[in-house]
Amino acid sequence: MHTVVVGTSGVTASDVLAVARAGARIELSGEAVAALAAAREIVDALAAKPEPVYGVSTGFGALASRHISPELRAQLQRNIVRSHAAGMGPRVEREVVRALMFLRLKTVCSGHTGVRPEVAQTMADILNAGITPVVHEYGSLGCSGDLAPLSHCALTLMGEGDAEGPDGAVRPAGELLAEAGITPVELREKEGLALLNGTDGMLGMLVMALADLETLYKSADVTAALSLEALLGTDKVLAPELHAIRPHPGQSAAAANMLAVLKGSELTGHHQDGAPRVQDAYSVRCAPQVAGAGRDTLAHARTVAERELASAVDNPVVLPDGRVESNGNFHGAPVAYVLDFLAIAAADLGSIAERRTDRLLDKNRSHGLPPFLADDAGVDSGLMIAQYTQAALVSEMKRLAVPASADSIPSSAMQEDHVSMGWSAARKLRTAVDNLTRIVAIELYAATRAIELREGLTPAPASQAVIEAVRAAGVQGPGPDRFLAPDLAAADAFVRAGHVVTAVEPVTGPLA
């Protein structure tokens, strides 16, 4: 099994995906263990002094003015975890919780938090044992970190609360730790606070969304090319020299992908046949511009994610010169903004895909295709309601595109009076990515059927490769009406697994 070694200088997106989705094992580097021990010495020295230090010998948030005596400090750290584990609602996905815990471990190992090495090792042991804390949908405002979600994870570290075992069953965390041979942690000064104060949940979801959207944008370039082909459109608008004079890199990449898919097609270039068209509709002609803008948004979001992955987010932090200083680095605004940007871009990509699907189904705009791609229109309804489903998904995506980060609601007796709502932005982006996958799947289903109905004209070799692959995956071709949901589910699984891209790349070469 792949092993991820956690050091002091951050981790990569690939590391996050390996741990969250592939169950990679985690090891702490010697450098990280040494840094943890050194920072802990500083915290212990401060704890021994009579002067109050936030998070070490004081209360938290609006209660920071109270100095806590030494005999109450272990209780203070336990209490912050128990009281902050106040989430409600459905459980969040296992991969999200694993990403959340791994990213908190990454910051702990930076040597800026003052957590003991044995606490970090226990975090790694829990992940390696396949134990996943129960974390709920609601509880984070995206400021002071993802407090409630991280608290539920810290509760498991203490052997309290509920967690999911490697078999998928939810049981008391203490039982699961005992079976795995893991001793629960007795928290000391600063440690409870350090386990809660991070943007780890929203960052983990950002990293996973970026990976999913990178594949989806390539898949959408392919389905857009198939729709152009099925509509007998022109590929001249994809010429590199046209995109070079508006040098947005994402636009050029999307156009190049579409052009590669359409190479060798007998269906393109018929826009002057029958009723001549000077230009294709925007949803066809402007596909690279819309998808390209989304790709450039992805690039910006990736830059933000990389910066955050390199960060040590905690409050207070232990600095190399021995100071322990309060700060505002836990504020989720940088991550929240790009999560919202991605939801907007995804909604627009879904919207333009739905417009192409609708065009394929409308006999007045499809240039010779049967109404709704039906076998016997009137007797058969064809893909009429598949487009309804796609339209419903697009409509929801437009609602999900309303930015969460534009909102703020004060908390902690107005001490935390401006928050990012980044966790909420991440949660709705996950839904948007799911919906976009389904939207692209419906366009794929319609476009492949439409191409097969163009008798006498041979599609591009790459298009043919997609059609053959999708049929082999159980998505049926043209014919009389049948139970449509299984076909759409198979198309969704095909897109979700990245098979649209893997089907064309042996013909086109790697897509950009």
Side-chain angles (χ1 to χ4, degrees), residues 294-333:
R295 285 169 174 275
D296 291 342
T297 302
L298 279 178
H300 171 60
R302 192 173 293 111
T303 297
V304 172
E306 288 168 355
R307 291 171 181 162
E308 199 74 0
L309 286 168
S311 302
V313 177
D314 194 15
N315 179 50
V317 291
V318 181
L319 295 173
D321 61 8
R323 286 179 295 146
V324 175
E325 296 285 0
S326 293
N327 66 91
N329 284 342
F330 50 72
H331 200 289

Side-chain angles (χ1 to χ4, degrees), residues 8 29 109 130 165 187 249 316-318 361 379 430 504:
T8 60
S29 73
C109 287
L187 297 176
V317 291
V318 181
L361 271 53
V379 174
R430 282 181 70 85
V504 300

Side-chain angles (χ1 to χ4, degrees), residues 188-206:
R188 288 171 48 180
E189 291 95 342
K190 175 81 170 57
E191 291 180 335
L193 184 62
L195 293 174
L196 317 186
N197 239 325
T199 56
D200 309 290
M202 63 183 93
L203 176 58
M205 287 185 273
L206 172 60

Side-chain angles (χ1 to χ4, degrees), residues 213 217 294 341-351 397 429 432-433 436 439:
L213 286 168
Y217 269 82
F341 296 165
L342 291 173
I344 292 168
D348 203 32
L349 187 64
S351 179
M397 288 192 71
L429 178 60
V433 171
L436 180 59
I439 290 165

Side-chain angles (χ1 to χ4, degrees), residues 216-229 231 234-235 237-238 243 246 250-259 262 280-296 345 348-356 443:
L216 269 176
Y217 269 82
K218 293 178 183 179
S219 302
D221 289 342
V222 175
T223 58
L226 295 175
S227 290
L228 183 152
E229 200 172 15
L231 290 166
T234 176
D235 59 0
V237 296
L238 305 174
H243 299 278
R246 194 191 191 195
Q251 177 180 321
S252 295
N257 286 345
M258 291 181 66
L259 200 58
L262 292 169
D280 289 316
Y282 283 11
S283 60
V284 178
R285 187 177 9 135
C286 301
Q289 284 77 10
V290 171
R295 285 169 174 275
D296 291 342
D348 203 32
L349 187 64
S351 179
I352 198 170
E354 183 275 331
R355 288 293 79 206
R356 289 190 294 265
E443 183 181 17

Side-chain angles (χ1 to χ4, degrees), residues 60 76-86 100 104-105 107-108 113 115 123 139-140 142-158 187 190-202 313-315 330:
F60 309 111
L76 171 70
Q77 300 300 321
R78 288 195 300 272
N79 285 352
I80 190 177
V81 173
R82 290 168 176 165
S83 65
H84 285 46
L100 173 96
R104 183 76 313 221
L105 175 60
T107 284
V108 164
T113 68
V115 169
M123 295 172 76
S140 174
C143 203
S144 291
D146 290 316
L147 286 175
L150 282 164
S151 298
H152 282 275
C153 294
L155 202 64
T156 296
L157 220 63
M158 293 164 48
L187 297 176
K190 175 81 170 57
E191 291 180 335
L193 184 62
L195 293 174
L196 317 186
N197 239 325
T199 56
D200 309 290
M202 63 183 93
V313 177
D314 194 15
N315 179 50
F330 50 72

